[in-house]
């Protein structure tokens, strides 16, 4: 299974994501520059955290038009796995690959600490190694992680089981305590917390590890079936 | 040449934490009469056209596509020669 970690000018969690894949899974992973126009070689695309294009105008607003984002949309359409973390989540909402928007934290503070998340949907390709309702510890680091969507969108997120993680102690004012969501098909996930910063007990938690192992497991399951045919 | 001014504000239905903080700061320095305060963005553009109608259409497209995130923001613009 081959992973791409996108790199925008201003990405600063790209190395963490790269290492999380390499060290946790031992699978091939490449850094892919924002100007790239071909992602066909990759099975999973990680849009990392940071401050792409300096977060000018709004976080993720300018990145949504980076050439590589057309390819991300194509990959999502093809059913490949796309994981947006923090600024990556903001980019995916701006690009329209996920519903809603991220606003400034209600407290106006940049929040940087461990949070406890509840795994609401353990059936996505990214969460299969978790148990339903399991509580996990994953750090956050953001000033604009306050998820917003209107009531209609929230109702459809709930109806389609698109809420993947919620905070047990909402740190930013997000609607319905939402920490992460997926698209209807479940192959695109966006989340504000950083699973790549929780892959080793040395980092304080290794609860993020299973997100990466879930993706690999799902991929192996589907490709195993394909090869039997 | 036309000069355009675009104002982007957080929708009324959406909390504006920056506005709330600044309102609180004004209160704390004695400006109790401030009943509400919202912070937005002010964008100035110079357009290489004299066609106001066309410029209006293009501005609307710019706002919808990039300048405002219509999930959480409203926008309006003014055009002058």
């Amino acid at each position: 299974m081959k992973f791409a970690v996108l790199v925008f000018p201003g990405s600063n969690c790209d190395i963490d994501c790269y290492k999380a894949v390499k060290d946790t899974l031992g699978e091939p992973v490449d850094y892919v520059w924002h100007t790239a126009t071909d992602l066909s070689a990759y099975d999973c695309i990680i849009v990392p955290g940071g401050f792409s294009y300096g977060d000018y105008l709004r976080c993720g607003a300018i990145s949504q038009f980076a050439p590589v984002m057309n390819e991300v949309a194509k990959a999502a359409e093809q059913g490949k796995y796309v994981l947006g973390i923090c600024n990556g989540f903001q980019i995916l909402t701006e690009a329209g690959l996920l519903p809603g928007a991220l606003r400034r934290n209600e407290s106006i503070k940049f929040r940087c600490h461990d949070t406890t998340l509840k795994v609401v949907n353990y059936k996505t390709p990214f969460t299969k190694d978790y148990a339903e309702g399991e509580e996990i510890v994953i750090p956050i680091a953001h000033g604009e992680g306050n998820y917003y969507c209107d009531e209609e969108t929230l109702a459809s997120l709930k109806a389609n089981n698109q809420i993947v993680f919620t905070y047990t102690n909402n740190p930013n004012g997000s609607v319905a305590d939402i920490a992460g969501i997926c698209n209807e098909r479940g192959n695109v996930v966006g989340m504000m917390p950083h699973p790549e910063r929780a892959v080793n007990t040395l980092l304080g938690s290794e609860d993020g590890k299973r997100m990466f192992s879930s993706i690999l497991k799902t991929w192996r399951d589907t490709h195993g079936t394909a090869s039997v045919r | 040449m036309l000069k355009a001014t675009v104002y982007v504000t957080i929708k009324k239905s959406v909390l504006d934490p920056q506005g709330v903080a600044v309102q609180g700061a004004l209160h704390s320095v004695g400006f109790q009469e401030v009943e509400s305060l919202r912070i937005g963005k002010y964008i100035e553009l110079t357009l290489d056209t004299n066609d106001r109608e066309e410029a209006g259409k293009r501005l609307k497209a710019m706002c919808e596509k990039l300048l405002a995130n219509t999930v959480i923001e409203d926008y309006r613009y003014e055009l002058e020669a």
Side-chain angles (χ1 to χ4, degrees):
Chain A
M1 183 177 187
K2 202 160 180 195
F3 288 77
V5 173
L6 303 188
V7 184
F8 296 89
S11 294
N12 64 14
C13 301
D14 43 348
I15 299 174
D16 291 4
C17 286
Y18 183 98
K19 290 194 170 177
V21 172
K22 194 133 196 120
D23 299 347
T24 309
L25 303 177
E27 291 293 302
V29 49
D30 289 335
Y31 292 114
V32 176
W33 192 231
H34 63 122
T35 51
T37 51
D38 184 8
L39 289 175
S40 58
Y42 302 99
D43 307 298
C44 177
I45 293 134
I46 300 179
V47 193
F51 298 86
S52 55
Y53 297 93
D55 269 0
Y56 291 136
L57 192 63
R58 293 182 310 278
C59 7
I62 298 177
S63 328
Q64 67 178 308
F65 300 116
V68 78
M69 289 309 294
N70 290 325
E71 304 310 304
V72 174
K74 273 188 215 163
E77 182 64 36
Q78 289 162 0
K80 291 183 175 182
Y81 310 122
V82 179
L83 173 61
I85 300 166
C86 200
N87 190 230
F89 184 16
Q90 295 161 342
I91 296 171
L92 293 180
T93 59
E94 284 283 340
L97 291 171
L98 289 172
L102 282 311
R103 302 170 291 177
R104 195 172 284 249
N105 293 350
E106 207 171 74
S107 62
I108 332 172
K109 289 179 182 135
F110 187 95
R111 305 292 299 265
C112 183
H113 53 76
D114 280 345
T115 56
T116 305
L117 306 183
K118 188 174 153 195
V119 182
V120 179
N121 184 347
Y122 68 106
K123 288 180 175 167
T124 76
F126 304 84
T127 51
K128 281 192 175 158
D129 277 348
Y130 296 108
E132 186 177 13
E134 184 179 352
E135 291 193 355
I136 57 174
V137 175
I138 306 275
I140 56 163
H142 59 244
E144 301 184 43
N146 181 353
Y147 181 77
Y148 174 83
C149 64
D150 58 26
E151 282 177 22
E152 200 182 318
T153 309
L154 181 61
S156 84
L157 286 178
K158 284 181 178 167
N160 299 322
N161 210 10
Q162 285 174 254
I163 300 173
V164 181
F165 298 113
T166 53
Y167 300 106
T168 58
N169 188 8
N170 194 337
N172 51 31
S174 288
V175 162
D177 299 328
I178 287 173
I181 56 168
C182 63
N183 61 348
E184 272 188 49
R185 195 167 166 188
N187 64 316
V188 178
V189 162
M191 62 193 293
M192 286 313 295
H194 288 271
E196 81 282 12
R197 293 190 190 174
V199 292
N200 193 307
T201 45
L202 282 172
L203 299 170
S205 166
E206 54 176 15
D207 286 349
K209 228 173 171 174
R210 281 179 285 159
M211 280 204 76
F212 297 96
S213 59
S214 294
I215 304 170
L216 180 60
K217 191 181 273 181
T218 311
W219 185 83
R220 281 187 174 153
D221 284 350
T222 51
H223 285 72
T225 317
S227 64
V228 170
R229 280 176 196 158
Chain B
M1 293 275 248
L2 285 173
K3 188 187 155 199
T5 316
V6 179
Y7 302 89
V8 179
T9 46
I10 300 266
K11 279 185 180 171
K12 284 269 161 31
S13 57
V14 176
L15 175 77
D16 171 14
Q18 242 184 318
V20 171
V22 174
Q23 183 184 352
L26 282 174
H27 285 174
S28 71
V29 289
F31 299 101
Q32 300 300 334
E33 69 272 34
V34 181
E35 272 194 3
S36 72
L37 187 157
R38 298 182 78 76
I39 292 182
K41 295 185 186 107
Y42 168 88
I43 302 162
E44 269 184 7
L45 300 88
T46 312
L47 306 174
D48 183 16
T49 174
N50 289 314
D51 183 339
R52 293 181 75 95
E53 198 179 329
E54 179 60 20
K57 275 188 203 156
R58 300 281 290 168
L59 270 171
K60 188 169 186 297
M62 288 180 216
C63 289
E64 299 273 338
K65 198 171 164 75
L66 177 65
L67 299 180
N69 178 343
T70 53
V71 176
I72 47 171
E73 293 172 331
D74 287 327
Y75 65 86
R76 66 185 175 85
Y77 55 82
E78 289 161 6
L79 265 175
E80 56 187 283

